[in-house]
């Protein structure tokens, strides 16, 4: 009896079970879809991709094998499906509820969809951080800038280096915004990287980087050869950036090529050159300054007068009296200030005439000088009450 039972038991063990022998029908379906990824009909390929994406993790093992398939189309599409499926699992569920097409937007070629997603991610702080950082690696600068803005709002600064690279390019979209963002993170700018970018950049990128470095608290020195190159560049922004750097960062005596810019056809460059030479304590001969004081641009006339005051006071006083009749109100005001700086109370008569005859800020400035010298101005103001011009009488009463 025991022998019969043993035989029966052994027979039971030897019978193959359906579970051991049969292949999972779902895996068979997955495999058919993977095969369809290489079909000639595009619609069939896309349908297979859609099915495999919806299946999710259950199809991952077969898709992993398919990434090593002999057919390149199957390899490529399998890798794409895996990347999409894994990305979907990483995205917070509440973000998917708010932005159902988030996965598609990650892979979208269009800038608009990505930027909309980035703005949504910016509201998720730490949950959105890994995705925003990933967007910093995009080739589209608009996407990188949008990511930087979102990260900045959440007080993360991984975007500094990517934005420096964008600023160094010859074509920089949203330049003002990029400069504004980098200015807020100026203490985090890596000096070595900034130096390298300045050396490698083209003329426009280099100009923007030098402007940034001028205003940022970075310990950076620029070689005189680079400044000379920028001053020789016919581009006005390049020249003005170099002059700005020299005014703020260079020491006295460092003025390669600045003086020749006084003959520039661009008034802004001439004015900047005058300010720079004055800041660097580089004297100019009076004939040059007197010539520039007749320049058609009012800012150049003002700066020429200021430079003359610091180096040739006697000639500056005569020029200032002439410029009190200048057509520009700002020049007349500068002339009065210069004259008072040179002559002090010796300029009271001229100051009194400005107060009676001129207007605007120069009149207010003249009034402030008259108040300082009441012993002299009070009798003059009393006499002005008797003048036939009613406007003069009103002004005489206006000094308090």
């Amino acid at each position: 009896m025991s022998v019969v039972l043993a035989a029966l038991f052994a027979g039971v063990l030897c019978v193959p079970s359906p579970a051991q022998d049969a292949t999972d029908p779902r895996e068979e379906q997955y495999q058919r879809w993977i095969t369809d990824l290489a079909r000639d009909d595009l619609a069939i390929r896309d349908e297979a991709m859609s099915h495999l994406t919806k299946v999710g993790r259950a199809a991952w093992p077969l898709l992993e094998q398919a990434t090593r398939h002999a057919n390149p189309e199957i390899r490529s599409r399998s890798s794409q499906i895996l990347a999409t499926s894994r990305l979907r699992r990483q995205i917070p569920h509440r973000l998917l509820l708010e932005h159902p097409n988030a996965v598609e937007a990650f892979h979208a070629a269009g800038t608009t969809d990505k930027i909309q997603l980035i703005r949504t991610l910016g509201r998720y702080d730490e949950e959105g951080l890994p995705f925003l950082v990933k967007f910093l690696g995009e080739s589209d600068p608009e996407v990188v800038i949008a990511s930087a803005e979102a990260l900045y709002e959440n007080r993360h600064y991984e975007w500094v280096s990517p934005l420096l690279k964008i600023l160094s390019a010859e074509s920089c979209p949203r330049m003002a915004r990029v400069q504004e963002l980098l200015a807020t993170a100026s203490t985090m700018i890596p000096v070595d990287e900034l130096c390298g970018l300045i050396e490698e950049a083209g003329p426009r990128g280099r100009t923007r980087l030098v402007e940034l470095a001028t205003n940022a608290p970075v310990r950076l020195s620029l070689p005189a050869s680079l400044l000379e190159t920028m001053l020789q560049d016919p581009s006005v922004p390049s020249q003005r950036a170099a002059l700005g750097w020299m005014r703020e960062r260079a020491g006295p005596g460092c003025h390669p090529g600045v003086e020749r810019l006084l003959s520039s056809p661009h008034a802004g460059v001439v004015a900047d050159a005058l300010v720079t030479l004055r800041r660097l304590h580089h004297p100019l001969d009076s004939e040059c300054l007197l010539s520039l004081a007749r320049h058609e641009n009012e800012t150049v006339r003002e700066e020429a007068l200021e430079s003359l005051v610091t180096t040739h006071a006697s000639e500056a006083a005569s020029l200032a009296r002439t410029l009190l009749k200048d057509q520009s109100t700002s020049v007349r005001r500068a002339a009065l200030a210069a004259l008072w700086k040179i002559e002090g109370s010796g300029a009271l008569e001229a100051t009194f005439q400005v107060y009676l005859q001129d207007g605007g800020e120069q009149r207010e400035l003249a009034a402030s000088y008259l108040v300082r010298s009441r012993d002299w101005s009070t009798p003059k103001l009393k006499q002005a009450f008797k003048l036939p011009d009613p406007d003069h009488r009103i002004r005489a009463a206006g000094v308090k």
Side-chain angles (χ1 to χ4, degrees):
M1 184 67 174
S2 60
V3 174
V4 173
L5 288 173
L8 288 171
F9 183 68
V12 170
L13 291 177
C14 293
V15 174
S17 68
Q20 288 178 322
D21 190 55
T23 304
D24 189 333
R26 292 176 301 175
E27 291 190 2
E28 290 181 350
Q29 180 60 67
Y30 303 158
Q31 192 61 62
R32 283 194 295 271
W33 285 332
I34 289 173
T35 302
D36 286 345
L37 295 176
R39 296 282 290 272
D40 293 336
D41 190 326
L42 178 60
I44 294 176
R45 294 204 302 271
D46 289 345
E47 185 180 8
M49 281 194 73
S50 176
H51 286 311
L52 289 165
T53 301
K54 290 177 181 177
V55 167
R57 295 188 67 177
W60 286 8
L62 291 175
L63 286 168
E64 286 283 5
Q65 296 175 21
T67 59
R68 299 182 292 276
H69 199 280
N71 186 290
E73 188 70 19
I74 290 178
R75 288 200 306 271
S76 174
R77 287 180 174 258
S78 296
S79 298
Q80 185 178 343
I81 295 167
L82 280 170
T84 300
S85 299
R86 287 168 176 163
L87 177 62
R88 180 177 289 276
R89 290 188 64 83
Q90 294 171 9
I91 297 175
H93 181 65
R94 62 193 183 110
L95 173 59
L96 287 172
L97 292 176
E98 183 176 351
H99 204 112
N101 297 324
V103 176
E104 291 76 9
F106 267 103
H107 299 295
T111 301
T112 303
D113 291 339
K114 288 184 178 179
I115 290 179
Q116 289 177 346
L117 175 59
I118 286 167
R119 288 171 179 164
T120 303
L121 287 166
R123 299 197 296 271
Y124 283 79
D125 196 13
E126 295 301 325
E127 286 181 298
L129 176 61
F131 304 104
L132 291 172
V133 171
K134 183 178 179 181
F135 275 125
L136 292 175
E138 290 276 333
S139 58
D140 187 339
E142 292 283 2
V143 172
V144 177
I145 295 168
S147 299
E149 289 177 317
L151 287 164
Y152 168 72
E153 292 298 326
N154 290 289
R155 298 298 182 266
H156 292 286
Y157 294 91
E158 295 86 345
W159 46 267
V160 172
S161 290
L163 253 59
L164 276 177
K165 291 183 175 65
I166 290 174
L167 192 66
S168 70
E170 286 300 276
S171 176
C172 175
R174 301 180 64 195
M175 181 180 66
R177 181 55 172 157
V178 172
Q179 290 173 324
E180 180 185 7
L181 285 168
L182 286 170
T184 64
S186 56
T187 57
M188 302 178 188
I189 294 175
V191 177
D192 291 343
E193 183 177 354
L194 180 58
C195 288
L197 288 172
I198 289 174
E199 291 179 3
E200 298 169 3
R204 293 178 182 176
R206 180 178 59 216
T207 296
R208 290 192 292 267
L209 291 171
V210 170
E211 288 173 343
L212 175 67
T214 300
N215 300 311
V218 293
R219 305 188 68 176
L220 178 69
S221 61
L222 296 179
S225 58
L226 175 63
L227 294 171
E228 180 72 19
T229 298
M230 295 181 70
L231 292 173
Q232 290 178 351
D233 191 312
S235 163
V236 170
S238 176
Q239 294 172 351
R240 299 190 76 171
L243 291 170
W245 171 269
M246 295 169 70
R247 284 196 301 276
E248 300 300 325
R249 300 298 189 91
C254 178
H255 45 80
V258 176
E259 196 166 340
R260 66 171 173 266
L261 293 180
L262 295 175
S263 59
S264 170
H266 302 283
V269 173
V270 178
D272 281 359
L274 282 168
V275 176
T276 302
L277 290 169
R278 191 165 67 243
R279 190 76 61 85
L280 298 176
H281 307 294
H282 178 71
L284 293 169
D285 64 79
S286 59
E287 184 177 345
C288 171
L289 293 172
L290 287 169
S291 175
L292 289 171
R294 296 189 294 273
H295 198 280
E296 63 181 7
N297 180 268
E298 61 187 51
T299 304
V300 174
R301 297 199 296 275
E302 287 182 50
E303 296 302 341
L305 173 61
E306 182 64 26
S307 295
L308 198 64
V309 168
T310 60
T311 54
H312 308 280
S314 60
E315 294 173 277
S318 176
L319 174 62
R321 289 180 181 277
T322 301
L323 293 178
L324 286 175
K325 303 296 184 182
D326 194 272
Q327 61 183 358
S328 165
T329 56
S330 63
V331 172
R332 296 200 300 274
R333 186 184 188 285
L336 179 59
L339 189 60
W340 189 266
K341 182 177 181 180
I342 297 167
E343 297 185 353
S345 59
L348 278 169
E349 185 60 45
T351 302
F352 184 68
Q353 294 303 317
V354 169
Y355 178 72
L356 288 182
Q357 299 171 14
D358 215 333
E361 292 183 0
Q362 57 273 27
R363 178 190 166 193
E364 294 177 5
L365 180 61
S368 70
Y369 291 148
L370 293 174
V371 167
R372 297 183 195 178
S373 306
R374 287 192 179 278
D375 291 343
W376 184 93
S377 63
T378 300
K380 297 286 287 186
L381 292 168
K382 287 181 178 179
Q383 293 176 15
F385 280 121
K386 302 175 183 179
L387 294 174
D389 189 331
D391 183 57
H392 288 173
R393 295 198 299 273
I394 293 172
R395 292 189 181 207
V399 177
K400 304 298 183 183

